[in-house]
Structure formats: structure tokens, C-alpha cells
Amino acid sequence: MAIIHTFLLHLLLLPLVTASTSIHDLLKTKGLPPGLFPKRIVKSYELNQHGLLQVYLEKPCLTKFETRVFYDHVVRANLSYGSLTGVVGLSQEELFLWLPVKDIIVYDPSSGLILFDIGVAYKQMPLSLFEDPPLCHAQRRWKDGSPRKGLGFQIQR
């Protein structure tokens, strides 16, 4: 009996890997726009039964919505319907500072707005910015060709 109990407990604690569903499809089923994660660079993701989402990218990268956004190798968050909370591995540039994104929430899809909690402020943006997954560029270079490696991408937590 103890062996069966241990086996069942072990199964419950294993992450649920959903290889057949893309991260973009998963986000849609959870009331979030599919464009929160870049296309072509997401290798895989894990979602456990407690809602812990871990998204694995091929490499850290930059993209732009209204401002520049940096994705680390791994982005973690608690996923529930309409929200990613406790986000780790995602930063947004605001006024020349790189600030960690803490939460991403869609309170009311009919409002057409998504809320980003960047610690010092809340930023509302149109949901339409996140309809399509963006292309993400290598961390080392941005459109102006300037090197960005080592210029404040590592956020102290």
C-alpha cells in the first residue's frame, strides 16, 4: 500500500509536459493572447498541475511591443485563467531602465486591454499588440546593430 501511495504522489508531482499543444495555443485556452511568447524560438514548455508554467527558449532574445522586451532562456510564471503571475525571466524597458515583469493580467477581454505589472508601475496595453507571436532577435544585437550583452539585462531579484 505504501508503494502505491508513493507512486501516486510521485506522479502528482511530475510536471505535465504537453508537447502536442503549442505555448500559443495553451495561452489562448487560458484567456491570454497567443503573442505573449515569441515564435520559432520556444523549444518547449512544462505546466504542472499547480499551474507552474516554465517556458524554455532556444536562447535569450529581444523583441518589441510598445517597448523592448527581453526573454531569458527560461521564463517561469504561475498560469491561471487570464493571468501569468510571479513572472521570472521577462523584462521590459521603460525610460531606459530594464524592469522585471512581475504579472501579466487580462481582467476583462472585452476591454481590449492587458495589464503588465513592472513592479514600480502598472502598464496597460492593447490586447491587439499580442495577437500574433513576435519574432525575437538574439540578445547580442538589436536593430541598430549595437551590442547589448552585459548592459543591464540581468535583473537583480
Side-chain angles (χ1 to χ4, degrees):
M1 182 70 162
I3 293 173
I4 293 172
H5 184 264
T6 304
F7 176 74
L8 290 174
L9 183 62
H10 181 68
L11 280 178
L12 291 175
L13 296 177
L14 285 176
L16 301 174
V17 178
T18 52
S20 62
T21 304
S22 75
I23 186 64
H24 309 105
D25 291 337
L26 174 66
L27 292 173
K28 283 193 273 188
T29 66
K30 292 295 190 172
L32 292 165
L36 288 175
F37 284 95
K39 60 182 163 186
R40 296 192 203 133
I41 198 164
V42 174
K43 287 193 309 187
S44 63
Y45 71 90
E46 295 174 353
L47 176 64
N48 73 16
Q49 68 197 43
H50 303 292
L52 176 62
L53 175 67
Q54 297 187 96
V55 181
Y56 301 95
L57 282 70
E58 290 176 6
K59 58 189 171 212
C61 66
L62 289 166
T63 193
K64 186 170 184 173
F65 296 108
E66 281 186 348
T67 59
R68 292 189 296 175
V69 175
F70 172 74
Y71 293 86
D72 209 341
H73 253 110
V74 179
V75 178
R76 292 180 183 85
N78 296 305
L79 176 63
S80 59
Y81 194 84
S83 69
L84 287 168
T85 57
V87 178
V88 175
L90 183 63
S91 302
Q92 184 172 329
E93 187 181 39
E94 291 294 328
L95 302 173
F96 307 107
L97 297 173
W98 285 95
L99 302 171
V101 173
K102 297 182 180 286
D103 301 317
I104 302 171
I105 302 169
V106 176
Y107 285 112
D108 178 12
S110 66
S111 72
L113 296 173
I114 188 167
L115 178 87
F116 278 68
D117 176 355
I118 53 173
V120 296
Y122 294 100
K123 183 170 183 173
Q124 287 188 341
M125 292 186 269
L127 271 170
S128 60
L129 285 176
F130 304 93
E131 286 176 1
D132 297 315
L135 288 174
C136 213
H137 305 281
Q139 176 184 352
R140 288 167 282 149
R141 301 221 175 261
W142 188 245
K143 285 186 178 184
D144 64 3
S146 62
R148 302 289 184 196
K149 190 171 184 177
L151 294 178
F153 289 125
Q154 299 301 318
I155 303 298
Q156 299 297 317
R157 297 190 194 266

